[in-house]
Amino acid sequence: MLSTLELSNCRFFGQLPPTVGNLTELTHLGISGNKFIGSIPSSLFAHPSLVWPQLSDNEFYGKVQELSNLSSSSLEFLDVGYNHLEGPIPKFFSELEQLRILSLSSNKFNRTVHLEMFKNPYMEVLDLSHNDLFVQSTDTDSSLPPLLNVGAEFFSVSNNNLTGEIPPSICNATKLEVLDLSANALTGSIPPCLPNNSVLGVLSLGRNNLSGTIPDTFSVNCSLQTLDLNRNVLTGKIPRSLVNCSSLEVLNVGNNRIEDTFPCMLMKASLRVLILRSNKFYGDLQCLEAIQEWLNLQIIDISTNYFGGDISHLSFSKWRGMISPNDNKQSEYNNLRFDYSRGNYYQNAVTVTIKREEMKLTKILLIFTTIDFSNNKFHGKIPHSIGNLKSLYGLNLSHNDLTGSIPASIGNLRQLNSLELSVNKLNGKIPVELASLTFIGFLNLSYNRLFGRIPEGPQLQTFSAASFEGNDGLYGCPVDTSCNEKESGVSPPGFQTEEVHLKKEIDWDYVSAALGFAVAFGSTVWLTLHCKRWREMFFGKVDQIYLKFFPKC
């Protein structure tokens, strides 16, 4: 008899045949990543042999309450994420004593749910993220469970409507590897016991209203790979005990009120993503040589702070994560996996600002590279080595005090999509190499001290004049207002043709003729004034010519 049926990612559509329930010996069913619609057939769970159904990423709708046969099931795993299921989460899940993994993420579940029902000793993974849940517990001070199952390894209720404080009892889950409470309305402080969990790999508490300082209690045996505290109201400093987390790859403390110097204590970490934006960080980058040893760095955003110092001493030559596509990025990314359902895993996500718009990125460790040092007090020249970062997607150095010219090496950045160098003191001409950047979709060089003709290329002339304004010495398209008239082929009335009207280069043919005339005329005048013999001969010839045409005068 058939015990395993694997049909995932096969592009099936329509309703799931109810006859699937006739497979009485079926233990494993995989139909994720298709386009099945309608309600999930209750007959599917009529037989206790089914222990591992994976139904995620389809178009199923309706209420899970209709699956009444689940109450007698011996399910160990259930994944119905990424569908359109709705209503309350039924209480009969608490009767599934063998259930170890439950994923209800990215549906339309709403109303309140009593999380105490998930305290069974077998539950390892609970994913309720991306719903519309108001989670209720017996703890009146919090909507989080007063006691998370001590055997839990993965717990995510992100992107819901949780309120209240994080209860210290959550630290009783000593096997917890992933904790994601982000994008809710949690208040209060971070429990000091939480960073002390030596097995915790992902701690994501961003986009809440947490206050206070980040506890300086990271374990000596810290296993943390991701720490996301973005968009809270945290104050104080970066905890020095974070130095214990040598496996740290993602640190995001952006959009808080942290007041500190650059976190040089992280130099031994394996950082891929560092986001410090919109805080109160200050001072020079005191550990430039060590920063250059973050070989795998792909995203660094330290914008909108009070950093300063000479940026010209920063070498980008060792940031291999931005230099070229790495064939090993996929395998390295998999080290962050928390496999709980044969291919489903926790995905890091960060929000970056590109083209002056926020962009949420998932799978960040595979595809994206960006540098944002904007809105600080950096000075000095842009290092020529910036041109080594050939897989760089975004570069923003705007609103600083940078001087010198724009490095021609930027023309090597063939993957560059966004370049912003505005509001600095850059001078010189725009390198012609920038005209070869065919992938660039956003450019802002405004308010510098640039001069000369704007290089012509397939992209530079497509940007508006605002990209170049505030540079009084620049000319050419698109700065000149008559560029549009030239493109249309129509000259304004009373004016010369556009080619003549716009021409600003020196025409050496006309200059040579004028110079020759001036020399001849000047020589004649000089001889006339200073040489008597020349005067007699010159005026004698003039008299002969005059008498020839006017003999009677």
Side-chain angles (χ1 to χ4, degrees), residues 426-439:
L426 300 173
N427 54 39
K429 296 182 178 181
I430 299 175
V432 294
E433 288 80 1
L434 264 63
S436 63
L437 296 177
T438 57
F439 190 61

Side-chain angles (χ1 to χ4, degrees), residues 130-145:
H130 294 272
N131 281 289
D132 194 22
L133 297 173
F134 297 84
V135 186
Q136 182 180 3
S137 73
T138 58
D139 188 340
T140 57
D141 294 330
S142 175
S143 61
L144 286 175

